Structure formats: structure tokens, C-alpha cells
């Protein structure tokens, strides 16, 4: 019985790797995962925006997640994937090194993110989860681009 | 809460709005050509629907007015009498009044438009005069009159009217009769106990209606008692007259009534009715009216949520790519089967067609909006007493539907402004200026530099710069020592709180100024440009972005990427002679072209990804027209020219001034569309400042 109640508080996350670090994003924010495809460079755009892709007829921006997190850029290999995230009706692609799995994470194993020593601004991370040997950093996608007004621009336009 | 009722009401409001809009256009066309009775028929039909709807939703004041208005239209429609100018004016005004009354009803205002009573009286008097009856005593309040009218509409007072309505219906149907269709009249005589026998007249009407082209029924409601004595299982409508236009034979019609006693129904063909004369007229005109009927039915529209359209758009994108994949797949090509080849070919044709259709869905010609403006021009001309001539150009220019909706109000304002303030006060002033008595207003829509421009020009007195400046200084909008260019001075008139009209007229200057126009255009991410030559006239241009428009683009390649330059802004492209290229002390290069000096903008270098530097005479220069003058864009090569759909790059890249959007090429690759206005050296300088 006890186990069942615990299970009902489990949530599912897509986990992926950037280098050695494992990250997770709530599954309901993920639209799809596609293989790396041709990205058209957009001149004068911020460096971490790699460009735009043609996702079956609609043009969506693609972010180099490594650059966004201040990591070094990396050659594309067969594991490189684009995770398409949909937040507030906006689609954005995130280039990641390798998609791992869809994991059910128990809410009980979640903890507050530490406030120290990561090259990632702690704001992006909503919580840390312990998964067997690994620690998964759960990303808050909305906060991720708050500074860059990716989402705010949309909101401002709606207010007009 | 009664959400269902509210939903219905919302539908009604939308429908009524459409009907009134159509009335407006139709009535104006009718005014131009007052013998076009097919058009009057069209107007009549609209008014008729409006009446029914208005009454159904308890808008009795609107319903009441429309009811009388309908009578007037009906009179002219059926008699085909020529319409006097004054009456035509009354009819046009009535459409206006319907519009205003509608607004009053929607806002549930207790007051009605000022002209309501007088106009209604005029209409009543006209009907009374036409019918040869004495003028009714004026009703002090309209409500009882309306009730009375509804009673006479739905519950018929006398058999005269019963017959009259049936004959009317038959005559109306005769105008659309064609082929082997015949008009039948069916008279039902039901007993009061018919419901208990399971007979309901509405079932018959529905059955007949299924196979009929037109059906009209008249109920004799005389026997319906007051509510207190009403018995629900008793049939009080014992006489029902039905006129039906159908290709069915008598036997087929009779089948519908097989459960009735023989004496309870009578079927008679109306064609053999004594009205041979009118019949002949109707038949003679039938072909003409039939074609207009077809034309109007072909124009019927359906409302679709734009989100659904966007989804459709994306799905078609997927379809095209999947189709391309099949068409270009070598394994499939290797199959030497004729039928497969043919099927793939058919598939590509169909895909192409679907793509074209879907692309055009969101785009509508600006014609309808311009049609509405004709009305505005006419009214303003009458109110100001200024004779004028309206030129309309570029009606076919297609523009995004969502934009069209927000364009009407600014356009109306600018037009009124042009007539009221732009044109000279009277004909004497025009003659003195050596112009024709008739003023000219030109309404124009066209593409320019990847934008859509809608302009309103007048040939009036132009803007008096000194006066504008003086006023702006007096109002504290600018200071006297500012050095302003002409266009900056003109722009002052769109500042809030600025109005040069000495007297506030009824038309413009009702507290909402050009600043409102400016804001609403800016909301569409557009801008307003004013050009004016004193004594010669003024042009207001609304420059609007295309958003989803299809543009004709020139594909160029620079530093390995393909970019699209809107063809409309391209002046020419050339590989320059070495002699005409000049460098200007490391500040930049320019070419001398036929006496003009155009700055050269190296596209690849500007976008920061040029590996090797080539000289202008090794590349291609595309001369384009920007807001800040002509520039020469240097590219590696020209790729081609094609129609592309502009797609936004997403909010993340909305601040990219140099790129106005992207387009998906046939290969599935994305090409970025250049906003050349942001590329001119002057604009670049400004953005760095």
C-alpha cells in the first residue's frame, strides 16, 4: 500500500546528457525529439542561438544548450539530438549531447538545488533528483530563458 | 447561466454584422445602378434575414425598423418601379440607421439614434403612399407599433394577406426557376385534433424542403387563442399554405401526404396561375437573375479559426517534404514500373495544388475593405458638400485577413481627414487654385520593399508647414529652435493633442485624432508616412508588414548561405566595372552608377561570416531601394527568383532587425528574408549610435 501511494507522486522526466552531467525536463513540456538536422545560421543573433530549423514546415529557433550553459561547443556526433520544447505555445529546440531515457522520479527523492559552485546559473535548476548513482538536475525551462526575454517578448506582445 | 443563449446571441451578432456590411456595399452598388433589381433582391434577402434574427433575439427596435424598411424594398422589388433620388437617399440612410440601431441594441442603450423616428416615419409614409392608404397617425412610442407589426407579420389578420404572401412567394420563386422545376402550391386544411393523429404540419414542410430548391409557408394564425385559453395538444393553425419550387413530380409530392385524408390537402401547380403577365417578365429576366444568384452563392464564406489554418499550413509543409522525398528517392526511381511513376507524378501535382490553395487561404484581396471605403467617401462628400471623384487602384492586392480587420478604422479616419481637411473648403477655392471643381481622392494598395502600402491621396491644398510648426510650438510639442525636416514636420500632425482644424467639424476632430490612427497602425507593426506639396495635395501612406504574405523574392547567395531579397525593392543587379567602384578612405565603398553614388554593403561581411574577401567586380551587386535611399548589396551570386511564404522566425529572434522572416525552399532548406531597410549604412550607423 505504502509503495502505491508513493508511486502516485512519481513524475516523468526526459533525461539527457551534456558532457558528464545529466539533466531532466518534465515530459509534458517536451513536444518531440529529433535527430540533429541542418540548422540555418541567423546572423547577428546571440551566439547560443545556433539558428533555425525547418520542423515539418514551421521554422523554429534552435539553442545550443552547451553554449547557453557556458560549456564549450562540441562536434555533432550520432548521439546529438534536438529536444523540441513547447512552452506557452512557443516551440524551441535544444541541442543536447545525448538523450538518455524517460525516467519516473519520485517526488520524495527531489531536493532543493545547491546554491554553489556550478557553472550553470542556479536559477535554471528547479530541483535535484537522486537516481541510483546519478544526480539529475531538473531544469525549469521557463526560467532558462527569462533573461533573454524569449518568453517575455511573447507576453509583452499579448498585452498590446 | 444561459450560455447557450449567449452563444446563439454571439452568432447572431456576427451574422448581423456580416449582413449589414454586405447591405452597405450592395446598397451603394445599387445606388450607382438603380435599375439592377437583382441587386435589390439581394439587399431584400439580407434585410429579411436580419429582421427574423433581430426579432428572435428581442431586439424589437431594430426588428421594427427593419420590418418597415423591408416593406419599402419589397415594394420596389416587386413593382420594379424606378426609384426617385430622394427615396434612394432614404434607403441608403436607412441602412446607416440600421447600423446605428444595431449598435444601440447591442449596448442595450435606452436611446435610439437621433434619426430613428424621423426615418421610420418617412418610411411609413412612403409605404402608405405607395399602397394608396392614408398616412397612419404617428405613433408616439415605437414599441406598440412594433408589436402590432409582429402580429401582422406572424399572425395574419385577414385572408387577403394570406393570399398575398403566397403569391409573393410564388413570384419570387419564379425568378429562380429553371430546367424542369415547377412551382407547386399546397394547401393544408387540418382539424384541431390533428396532433393527436400524429400529424404535424412542420414535418411536411421539412420533408418537402429536403427536395426543394425553395420553400415558403404561410400560416393562418387567426384561430390561435390567447395564452390563457391555449391548449397545447390542440392544433390551432388549421390553414397552411405552402409554396414550393421543386423538380419533383406531383406523385412524388403527394407521397409526403399519404397519411392525410384526401380532403385535407390540395396540390396545385402555380405555373398556370392567372398571372401570365408577370410570369412572362419573370421568365424573361430569369437568366440574368439566375447568374447573379450563382455568383452570390459562389461567394459564400465560412469562418475558420486562424489557429486551425496555421496547423493546416504546417501539415502541408510536412506533406510537401514527404512528397519531395518520394519523388527524389532513388530506390523508388529504380523501380521500373510505369504506374508507380505516373502515380508519383500525380501525387506531386496534387501536392502542389494543395499547397497553393492553402497558401492563399489566409490572404484576401483588399477589395472588400475598399468597397466599404467607397461608402465612407460618398457620405463624407455629402456631409461636407464637396464634390469629389474617387480613384481606386490595386483592389486585388492581397493582404493578411487578420490585418484587414484592423485596417478599416484607421483608413476611414484618414479618408475623412483627407476630404474634410485635405480638400479645399469650397469649389471657389479650387477654381482659384486652377483645379477642377471636383476633388480627387485616390485610394491605392500596392507592394513596396516587402511591405504592403495602402495610401490615401487628395489633390487638395496640402499641408501648410509653417502653420503646423507654429501650432506645434504653441502646443509645446516642439521648441522653436529645433531644426526639423519636412517629413518630421508632417509627422507632427499625428502627435496626440494636435489638431489644426480651426473648427471641430462633425467628421474629423471628434476628439480622436490622427494619433489614434498612428497607434493602431503601429500595433500592426506598420508606420504612416506623409507626403505633401502645398497647393497640390497630400498622401498618407500606411506601410504595413506582410506577416504571412507571399512575396516574390530574389534568392541570392552570400558566404554559403541563401538569402531572399524582396524582388519589389530590387532596382537592378549587376557585376560592376572596376572603374566605377570607389573606396572612401576606409569608411566604405561605393559605386557610381549613372550619376548616383550608391554605398556598397557586403552582405557576407556584414553578417560576419566571410572567409575570403573578394572585390566588388568579382561579385554581384544588387541595387535595392531602402527607406534611406538606394544601396548596393554585394553578394556572391544570384540563385534565382521565386514566390515564397514569409514565416516568422519565432519570438526568440523577433529582435533581429536585419531579418524579417524565413522561407522554406523547395529543398526543405530555410532561406532568411532580408529586411533591407535595416541594411543601409545609415540605418546601421543609427543602430550603433
Amino acid at each position: 500500500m505504502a509503495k502505491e501511494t508513493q508511486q502516485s507522486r512519481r513524475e516523468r522526466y526526459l533525461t539527457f546528457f551534456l558532457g558528464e552531467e545529466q539533466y531532466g525536463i518534465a515530459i509534458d513540456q517536451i513536444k518531440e525529439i529529433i535527430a540533429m538536422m541542418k540548422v540555418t545560421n541567423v546572423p547577428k543573433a546571440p551566439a547560443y542561438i545556433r539558428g533555425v530549423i525547418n520542423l515539418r514546415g514551421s521554422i523554429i529557433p534552435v539553442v545550443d544548450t552547451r553554449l547557453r550553459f557556458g560549456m564549450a561547443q562540441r562536434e555533432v556526433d550520432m548521439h546529438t539530438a534536438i529536444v523540441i520544447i513547447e512552452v506557452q505555445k512557443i516551440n524551441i529546440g535544444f541541442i543536447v549531447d545525448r538523450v538518455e531515457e524517460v525516467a519516473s522520479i519520485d517526488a520524495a527523492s527531489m531536493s532543493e538545488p545547491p546554491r554553489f559552485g556550478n557553472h550553470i546559473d542556479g536559477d535554471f535548476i528547479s530541483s535535484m533528483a537522486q537516481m541510483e548513482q546519478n544526480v539529475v538536475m531538473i531544469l525549469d525551462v521557463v526560467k532558462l530563458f527569462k533573461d533573454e526575454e524569449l518568453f517575455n517578448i511573447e507576453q509583452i506582445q499579448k498585452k498590446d | 447561466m444561459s450560455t447557450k443563449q449567449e452563444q446563439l446571441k454571439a452568432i447572431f451578432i456576427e451574422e448581423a454584422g456580416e449582413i449589414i456590411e454586405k447591405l452597405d456595399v450592395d446598397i451603394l452598388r445599387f445606388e450607382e445602378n438603380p435599375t439592377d433589381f437583382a441587386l435589390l433582391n439581394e439587399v431584400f434577402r439580407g434585410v429579411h434575414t436580419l429582421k427574423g434574427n433581430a426579432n428572435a433575439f428581442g431586439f424589437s427596435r431594430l426588428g421594427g425598423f427593419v420590418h418597415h424598411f423591408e416593406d419599402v424594398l419589397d415594394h420596389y422589388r416587386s413593382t420594379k418601379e424606378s426609384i426617385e433620388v430622394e427615396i434612394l437617399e432614404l434607403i441608403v440612410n436607412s441602412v446607416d440607421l440600421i447600423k446605428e440601431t444595431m449598435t444601440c441594441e447591442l449596448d442595450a442603450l435606452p436611446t435610439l439614434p437621433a434619426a430613428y423616428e424621423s426615418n421610420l416615419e418617412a418610411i411609413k409614409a412612403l409605404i402608405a403612399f405607395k399602397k394608396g392608404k392614408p398616412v397612419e397617425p404617428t405613433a408616439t412610442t415605437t414599441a406598440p407599433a412594433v408589436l402590432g407589426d409582429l402580429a401582422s407579420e406572424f399572425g395574419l389578420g385577414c385572408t387577403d394577406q394570406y393570399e398575398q404572401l403566397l403569391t409573393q412567394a410564388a413570384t419570387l420563386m419564379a425568378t429562380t426557376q429553371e430546367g424542369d422545376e415547377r412551382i407547386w402550391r399546397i394547401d393544408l386544411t387540418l382539424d384541431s385534433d390533428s396532433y393527436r393523429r400524429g400529424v404535424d404540419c412542420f414535418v411536411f414542410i421539412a420533408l418537402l424542403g429536403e427536395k426543394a430548391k425553395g420553400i415558403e409557408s404561410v400560416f393562418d394564425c387567426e384561430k390561435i387563442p390567447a395564452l390563457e385559453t391555449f391548449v397545447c395538444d390542440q392544433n390551432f393553425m388549421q390553414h397552411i399554405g405552402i409554396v414550393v419550387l421543386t423538380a419533383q413530380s406531383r406523385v412524388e409530392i403527394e407521397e409526403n401526404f399519404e397519411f392525410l385524408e384526401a380532403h385535407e390537402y390540395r396540390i396545385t401547380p402555380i405555373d398556370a396561375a392567372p398571372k401570365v403577365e408577370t410570369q412572362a417578365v419573370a421568365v424573361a429576366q430569369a437568366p440574368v437573375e439566375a447568374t447573379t444568384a450563382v455568383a452570390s452563392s459562389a461567394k459564400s464564406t465560412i469562418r475558420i479559426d486562424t489557429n486551425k489554418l496555421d496547423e493546416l499550413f504546417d501539415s502541408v509543409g510536412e506533406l510537401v517534404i514527404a512528397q519531395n522525398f518520394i519523388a527524389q528517392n532513388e530506390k523508388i526511381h529504380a523501380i521500373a514500373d510505369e504506374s508507380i511513376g505516373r502515380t508519383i507524378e500525380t501525387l506531386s501535382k496534387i501536392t502542389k495544388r494543395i499547397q497553393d490553395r492553402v497558401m492563399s487561404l489566409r490572404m484576401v484581396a483588399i477589395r472588400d475593405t475598399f468597397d466599404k471605403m467607397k461608402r465612407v467617401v460618398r457620405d463624407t462628400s455629402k456631409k461636407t458638400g464637396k464634390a469629389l471623384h474617387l480613384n481606386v487602384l490595386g483592389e486585388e492586392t492581397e493582404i493578411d485577413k487578420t490585418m484587414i480587420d484592423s485596417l478599416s478604422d484607421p483608413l476611414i479616419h484618414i479618408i475623412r481627414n483627407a476630404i474634410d481637411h485635405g480638400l479645399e473648403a469650397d469649389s471657389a477655392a479650387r477654381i482659384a487654385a486652377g483645379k477642377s471643381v471636383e476633388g480627387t481622392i485616390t485610394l491605392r494598395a500596392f507592394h513596396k520593399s516587402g511591405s504592403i502600402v495602402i495610401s490615401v491621396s487628395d489633390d487638395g491644398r496640402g499641408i501648410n508647414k509653417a502653420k503646423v510648426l507654429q501650432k506645434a510650438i504653441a502646443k509645446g510639442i516642439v521648441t522653436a529652435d529645433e531644426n526639423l525636416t519636412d517629413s518630421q514636420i508632417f509627422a507632427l500632425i499625428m502627435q496626440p493633442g494636435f489638431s489644426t482644424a480651426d473648427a471641430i467639424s462633425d467628421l474629423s476632430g471628434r476628439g480622436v485624432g490622427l494619433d489614434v490612427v498612428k497607434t493602431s497602425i503601429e500595433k500592426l507593426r506598420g508606420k504612416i508616412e506623409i507626403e505633401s506639396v502645398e497647393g497640390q495635395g497630400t498622401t498618407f501612406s500606411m506601410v504595413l508588414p506582410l506577416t504571412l504574405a507571399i512575396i516574390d523574392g530574389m534568392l541570392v547567395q552570400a558566404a554559403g548561405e541563401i538569402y531572399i531579397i524582396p524582388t519589389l525593392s530590387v532596382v537592378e543587379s549587376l557585376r560592376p566595372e572596376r572603374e566605377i567602384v570607389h573606396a572612401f578612405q576606409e569608411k566604405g565603398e561605393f559605386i557610381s552608377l549613372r550619376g548616383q553614388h550608391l554605398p556598397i554593403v557586403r552582405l557576407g561581411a556584414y553578417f560576419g561570416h566571410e572567409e575570403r574577401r573578394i572585390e566588388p567586380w568579382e561579385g554581384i551587386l544588387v541595387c535595392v531601394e531602402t527607406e534611406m535611399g538606394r544601396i548596393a548589396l554585394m553578394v556572391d551570386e544570384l540563385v534565382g527568383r521565386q514566390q515564397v511564404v514569409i514565416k516568422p522566425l519565432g519570438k526568440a529572434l523577433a529582435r533581429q532587425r536585419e531579418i524579417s522572416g524565413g522561407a522554406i525552399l523547395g529543398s526543405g532548406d530555410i532561406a532568411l528574408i532580408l529586411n533591407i531597410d535595416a541594411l543601409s549604412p545609415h540605418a546601421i550607423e543609427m543602430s550603433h549610435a
Side-chain angles (χ1 to χ4, degrees):
Chain A
M1 279 298 279
K3 203 181 173 188
E4 270 172 35
T5 38
Q6 253 184 2
Q7 261 180 349
S8 67
R9 283 191 287 132
R10 276 171 171 261
E11 285 194 34
R12 305 211 299 155
Y13 296 86
L14 177 84
T15 69
F16 59 86
F17 277 96
L18 286 179
E20 297 300 310
E21 293 159 6
Q22 195 174 4
Y23 296 89
I25 296 176
I27 199 93
D28 56 358
Q29 291 174 318
I30 290 168
K31 201 177 173 201
E32 62 184 296
I33 301 158
I34 54 171
M36 191 61 195
M37 62 187 289
K38 188 186 167 178
V39 180
T40 304
N41 181 281
V42 177
K44 305 273 173 184
Y48 64 83
I49 294 184
R50 187 75 84 79
V52 287
I53 55 165
N54 168 13
L55 183 68
R56 294 186 305 271
S58 54
I59 296 178
I60 65 169
V62 175
V63 167
D64 191 322
T65 320
R66 279 178 153 267
L67 290 184
R68 183 70 194 88
F69 287 173
M71 300 168 153
Q73 202 166 356
R74 181 174 164 274
E75 283 292 301
V76 171
D77 62 26
M78 61 172 293
H79 295 295
T80 310
I82 303 176
V83 179
I84 311 284
I85 290 175
E86 183 176 344
V87 179
Q88 293 163 16
K89 301 250 169 200
I90 308 167
N91 290 328
I92 296 180
F94 288 87
I95 300 174
V96 300
D97 289 358
R98 178 162 57 93
V99 170
E100 183 69 10
E101 60 173 345
V102 173
S104 289
I105 300 178
D106 197 328
S109 65
M110 300 270 216
S111 58
E112 285 280 300
R115 293 259 163 249
F116 59 90
N118 202 311
H119 49 77
I120 300 164
D121 187 340
D123 266 3
F124 306 155
I125 301 169
S126 64
S127 54
M128 313 279 279
Q130 187 69 45
M131 261 179 69
E132 287 150 25
Q133 264 72 51
N134 274 328
V135 171
V136 178
M137 286 169 274
I138 308 295
L139 295 176
D140 184 330
V141 194
V142 179
K143 273 190 186 154
L144 195 52
F145 287 94
K146 208 173 152 194
D147 301 339
E148 277 65 37
E149 294 173 8
L150 271 191
F151 299 113
N152 282 2
I153 285 172
E154 171 86 342
Q155 281 161 4
I156 291 162
Q157 279 173 347
K158 271 179 191 161
K159 272 179 207 154
D160 285 349
Chain B
M1 290 290 279
S2 56
T3 44
K4 186 78 189 168
Q5 182 71 11
E6 273 157 23
Q7 271 174 14
L8 284 174
K9 204 161 173 169
I11 294 171
F12 159 71
I13 292 167
E14 197 169 307
E15 241 180 44
E18 276 170 19
I19 292 172
I20 291 174
E21 218 166 80
K22 190 165 183 305
L23 276 185
D24 222 14
V25 173
D26 284 348
I27 204 78
L28 227 61
R29 275 167 56 206
F30 183 68
E31 195 186 17
E32 282 167 21
N33 183 12
T35 50
D36 187 351
F37 285 96
L39 200 56
L40 192 64
N41 252 333
E42 193 77 3
V43 173
F44 175 78
R45 245 170 277 157
V47 169
H48 186 78
T49 319
L50 188 63
K51 179 184 72 175
N53 289 354
N55 286 330
F57 285 90
F59 295 148
S60 57
R61 296 176 297 181
L62 179 63
F65 184 84
V66 175
H67 173 71
H68 288 285
F69 183 49
E70 185 188 1
D71 284 348
V72 174
L73 294 180
D74 192 35
H75 174 77
Y76 286 102
R77 190 180 64 107
S78 45
T79 59
K80 298 207 174 12
E81 206 173 282
S82 71
I83 303 181
E84 300 86 348
V85 181
E86 302 83 58
I87 293 172
L88 204 53
E89 185 68 30
L90 178 68
I91 292 177
V92 175
N93 286 341
S94 299
V95 172
D96 262 352
L97 205 62
I98 289 175
K99 238 189 292 181
E100 288 170 28
T101 313
M102 176 79 187
T103 333
C104 289
E105 292 277 25
L106 290 183
D107 299 343
L109 299 177
T111 50
L112 283 168
Y116 184 91
E117 289 293 337
S118 58
N119 209 324
L120 188 61
E121 287 311 318
I123 288 178
K124 280 187 184 166
L126 175 67
I127 303 164
F129 172 72
K130 289 294 177 192
K131 290 195 173 162
K133 285 184 205 154
V135 179
E136 280 176 43
T138 32
T140 41
T141 54
T142 45
V146 169
L147 284 180
D149 294 332
L150 291 178
S152 66
E153 167 77 4
F154 295 112
L156 298 159
C158 51
T159 39
D160 261 11
Q161 214 170 344
Y162 180 86
E163 286 300 321
Q164 198 190 328
L165 280 169
L166 284 171
T167 326
Q168 258 179 27
T171 326
L172 181 60
M173 278 178 198
T175 61
T176 56
Q177 190 176 5
E178 54 190 8
D180 54 356
E181 289 164 354
R182 293 193 72 184
I183 301 173
W184 298 89
R185 169 165 173 175
I186 298 146
D187 286 290
L188 300 178
T189 316
L190 301 172
D191 294 333
S192 58
D193 69 342
S194 64
Y195 289 162
R196 281 177 228 157
R197 286 192 289 141
V199 175
D200 181 353
C201 59
F202 293 105
V203 173
F204 298 127
I205 295 172
L207 282 171
L208 282 170
E210 274 172 19
K211 303 235 170 80
K213 186 176 179 189
I215 186 161
E216 192 92 32
S217 49
V218 180
F219 302 93
D220 178 2
C221 302
E222 216 179 339
K223 297 222 172 69
I224 297 183
L227 204 56
E228 296 81 41
T229 49
F230 188 84
V231 186
C232 65
D233 63 351
Q234 205 167 332
N235 180 18
F236 292 105
M237 291 190 290
Q238 297 175 355
H239 293 282
I240 294 135
I242 303 169
V243 179
V244 58
L245 174 62
T246 180
Q248 280 186 296
S249 68
R250 181 191 281 266
V251 181
E252 283 172 305
I253 294 175
E254 272 178 356
E255 273 175 15
N256 293 319
F257 302 104
E258 59 183 338
F259 297 112
L260 286 186
E261 306 280 337
H263 71 270
E264 285 179 313
Y265 70 97
R266 196 177 73 227
I267 302 172
T268 37
I270 284 198
D271 314 47
K275 298 203 164 205
V276 184
E277 248 181 18
T278 48
Q279 195 69 32
V281 174
V283 169
Q285 290 194 337
V288 184
E289 300 197 2
T291 49
T292 48
V294 167
S296 61
S297 67
K299 261 202 96 179
S300 81
T301 50
I302 169 169
R303 290 187 166 242
I304 302 172
D305 188 347
T306 43
N307 286 336
K308 284 190 188 168
L309 278 187
D310 289 344
E311 282 165 22
L312 182 64
F313 230 91
D314 290 345
S315 305
V316 168
E318 291 176 46
L319 177 68
V320 170
I321 290 161
Q323 182 269 322
N324 274 344
F325 177 81
I326 292 177
Q328 288 162 12
N329 188 303
E330 283 176 12
K331 281 183 200 157
I332 294 176
H333 272 289
I335 305 169
D337 186 315
E338 202 192 328
S339 68
I340 288 180
R342 226 181 303 127
T343 313
I344 290 174
E345 207 166 286
T346 316
L347 179 69
S348 20
K349 273 185 202 155
I350 296 171
T351 314
K352 179 86 185 80
R353 202 158 62 212
I354 293 176
Q355 194 188 16
D356 287 348
R357 297 270 157 83
V358 171
M359 275 181 178
S360 67
L361 281 183
R362 275 182 72 133
M363 304 300 291
V364 285
I366 199 157
R367 173 185 298 278
D368 285 353
T369 310
F370 277 8
D371 276 347
K372 270 196 264 172
M373 295 308 135
K374 289 179 187 164
R375 174 70 198 255
V376 174
V377 169
R378 174 196 174 278
D379 287 355
T380 319
S381 153
K382 293 227 162 155
K383 277 188 190 157
T384 53
K386 294 179 185 177
L388 58 89
H389 174 73
L390 175 70
N391 269 336
V392 179
L393 301 167
E395 282 179 293
E396 294 306 320
T397 307
E398 291 203 322
I399 170 166
D400 199 284
K401 172 79 179 106
T402 44
M403 214 184 278
I404 269 192
D405 295 339
S406 2
L407 261 183
S408 283
D409 287 344
L411 204 50
I412 288 173
H413 202 95
I414 293 176
I415 289 174
R416 284 185 174 160
N417 202 68
I419 299 172
D420 203 21
H421 303 312
L423 293 178
E424 287 84 353
D426 48 43
S427 48
R430 283 188 68 85
I431 293 167
K435 297 175 189 172
S436 62
V437 176
E438 247 189 16
T440 306
I441 298 284
T442 308
L443 203 54
R444 195 169 161 225
F446 57 99
H447 287 262
K448 190 194 165 202
S449 309
S451 302
I452 286 166
V453 183
I454 297 165
S455 71
V456 179
S457 316
D458 64 66
D459 64 344
R461 49 196 162 192
I463 296 174
N464 183 332
K465 275 184 282 181
K467 199 174 158 192
V468 169
L469 199 56
Q470 197 188 337
K471 183 135 186 181
I473 293 167
K475 295 232 171 192
I477 299 172
V478 289
T479 53
D481 52 344
E482 273 177 75
N483 202 354
L484 299 173
T485 64
D486 283 6
S487 55
Q488 280 171 316
I489 294 173
F490 296 147
L492 289 175
I493 66 169
M494 291 185 296
Q495 290 294 321
F498 188 95
S499 172
T500 48
D502 297 324
I504 288 191
S505 74
D506 172 41
L507 295 167
S508 23
R510 268 189 256 190
V512 274
L514 281 169
D515 58 312
V516 177
V517 174
K518 191 178 164 218
T519 353
S520 38
I521 294 301
E522 277 169 359
K523 255 186 207 165
L524 297 173
R525 282 189 287 149
K527 59 185 176 200
I528 297 189
E529 286 171 0
I530 305 172
E531 280 166 58
S532 184
V533 178
E534 211 174 337
Q536 290 182 22
T538 309
T539 300
F540 278 83
S541 306
M542 295 186 259
V543 185
L544 299 161
L546 291 171
T547 54
L548 201 98
I550 296 165
I551 60 153
D552 194 52
M554 187 181 242
L555 275 60
V556 299
Q557 199 193 53
E561 299 275 1
I562 290 181
Y563 297 99
I564 296 171
I565 302 173
T567 310
L568 278 150
S569 50
V570 175
V571 183
E572 63 181 313
S573 50
L574 69 153
R575 170 161 285 173
E577 298 289 326
R578 200 172 178 149
E579 289 73 42
I580 64 167
V581 179
H582 308 280
F584 180 68
Q585 296 176 353
E586 291 177 13
K587 281 190 179 166
E589 296 162 297
F590 62 94
I591 55 162
S592 306
L593 202 62
R594 291 185 293 274
Q596 271 192 311
H597 302 292
L598 313 184
I600 295 174
V601 175
R602 290 167 174 262
L603 201 57
Y606 178 61
F607 284 159
H609 41 50
E610 192 179 37
E611 283 110 33
R612 66 191 176 94
R613 190 179 169 86
I614 54 166
E615 294 303 329
W617 48 89
E618 290 165 339
I620 298 276
L621 292 181
V622 182
C623 301
V624 290
E625 191 84 62
T626 77
E627 275 176 0
M628 315 264 188
R630 280 188 194 178
I631 58 168
L633 282 178
M634 187 177 146
V635 299
D636 295 348
E637 59 177 304
L638 300 181
V639 178
R641 190 181 153 178
Q642 76 177 73
Q643 302 252 312
V644 294
V645 183
I646 295 192
K647 296 202 170 204
L649 290 190
K651 304 298 175 213
L653 296 164
R655 284 183 297 177
Q656 244 48 50
R657 279 258 306 144
E658 294 84 356
I659 306 295
S660 59
I664 294 171
L665 303 178
S667 59
D669 287 349
I670 297 171
L672 300 174
I673 300 167
L674 300 178
N675 172 20
I676 51 149
D677 285 338
L679 289 174
S680 80
H682 189 65
I684 293 167
E685 240 169 64
M686 295 233 295
S687 66
H688 286 295

